[in-house]
Amino acid sequence: DVVLTQSPATLSVTPGERISLSCRASESVDTYLHWYQQKPNESPRLLIKYVSQSISGIPSRFSGSGSGTDFTLSINGVALEDLSVFYCQQGHSLPFTFGAGTKLDLK
Amino acid sequence: VQLVESGGGLVQPGKSLKLSCSASGFTFSSYGMHWIRQAPGKGPDWVAYISSTSGIVYADAVKDRFTISRDNAKNTLYLQVNSLNSEDTAIYYCARDYSSYMTNWFPYWGQGTLVTVSS
């Protein structure tokens, strides 16, 4: 199975700053890498698909980059509503797998 | 797209449960469906998939104990879970494919149903 390692586990942020979250795959997943946001007591919400493709209704401050095994989710100007957990997910091979998540909290 | 899971609860180790996912707002028979679970404090964990033509794939960890099925007449997806153990404690979500063929990302999720395995 493809293992996705996310770092850091927790990131303390100040509203307005630009941040980057990392996701590293144990083998190449090409561009089959997707990002989700999960707020407390909610289902995960798709943020970005295929590394960098935007999703309708998702704020433009979210962007993604990377290829192969190293990927980044960037938030350009963190908002208070972004305080949540972010997961990466690979769709390159079955079983589809998710990372353990990066939690954003307030500095 | 609306997906509503049910059937979770507190169950003793070794017992069974049947989870349901009621779908509405789209032509259920035209889409593949997934079950994804999430243990407390962990990332999501993909469990199983059934295509619109009832082709099935399981994660190795559950393939001998879980059975995914669908009833297109009732617009309902099911997951039969047998021989439950503490590691099966999780919120179980159903999720719909984006299109009529298997997609490898999950744009539509239900709200989940909690399964707690404990004596």
Side-chain angles (χ1 to χ4, degrees):
Chain A
D1 299 0
V2 177
V3 176
L4 298 178
T5 302
Q6 291 188 243
S7 61
T10 303
L11 184 61
S12 296
V13 302
T14 300
E17 72 174 303
R18 177 181 172 88
I19 64 168
S20 294
L21 312 182
S22 173
C23 176
R24 179 164 292 178
S26 60
E27 60 189 76
S28 176
V29 297
D30 197 0
T31 59
Y32 293 83
L33 192 288
H34 319 299
W35 290 94
Y36 300 80
Q37 177 188 40
Q38 187 174 31
K39 297 182 178 179
N41 300 314
E42 294 185 4
S43 307
R45 176 177 73 150
L46 180 68
L47 283 181
I48 287 173
K49 61 183 172 83
Y50 296 110
V51 178
S52 60
Q53 293 182 16
S54 59
I55 301 297
S56 175
I58 301 300
S60 59
R61 63 181 178 272
F62 293 97
S63 62
S65 62
S67 67
T69 60
D70 290 311
F71 303 90
T72 299
L73 174 70
S74 298
I75 308 177
N76 188 12
V78 173
L80 284 175
E81 67 196 52
D82 299 336
L83 300 181
S84 56
V85 181
F86 294 86
Y87 296 101
C88 57
Q89 175 246 323
Q90 67 83 19
H92 181 265
S93 55
L94 288 168
F96 301 140
T97 52
F98 292 79
T102 292
K103 181 179 181 180
L104 293 191
D105 63 18
L106 200 57
K107 187 178 292 183
Chain B
V1 176
Q2 189 167 15
L3 303 169
V4 179
E5 300 92 337
S6 60
L10 176 62
V11 60
Q12 293 178 329
K15 299 296 187 180
S16 299
L17 213 54
K18 189 170 187 177
L19 308 180
S20 300
C21 168
S22 178
S24 60
F26 63 99
T27 303
F28 179 71
S29 60
S30 296
Y31 292 88
M33 300 291 296
H34 304 259
W35 283 102
I36 300 166
R37 65 182 178 180
Q38 187 172 26
K42 304 293 186 182
D45 182 29
W46 177 84
V47 171
Y49 171 76
I50 185 167
S51 73
S52 59
T53 55
S54 294
I56 289 171
V57 186
Y58 294 103
D60 283 349
V62 306
K63 64 181 180 181
D64 295 328
R65 299 187 297 119
F66 289 12
T67 303
I68 189 171
S69 62
R70 64 191 300 158
D71 185 337
N72 289 336
K74 295 183 177 180
N75 290 338
T76 303
L77 173 74
Y78 300 102
L79 186 69
Q80 176 71 42
V81 295
N82 298 329
S83 303
L84 285 161
N85 58 63
S86 59
E87 294 183 347
D88 297 316
T89 292
I91 297 173
Y92 285 72
Y93 298 100
C94 61
R96 199 203 85 176
D97 271 340
Y98 176 72
S99 65
S100 59
Y101 54 88
M102 187 185 194
T103 47
N104 60 80
W105 43 285
F106 309 108
Y108 305 111
W109 299 63
Q111 88 290 345
T113 187
L114 176 62
V115 174
T116 304
V117 183
S118 175
S119 54

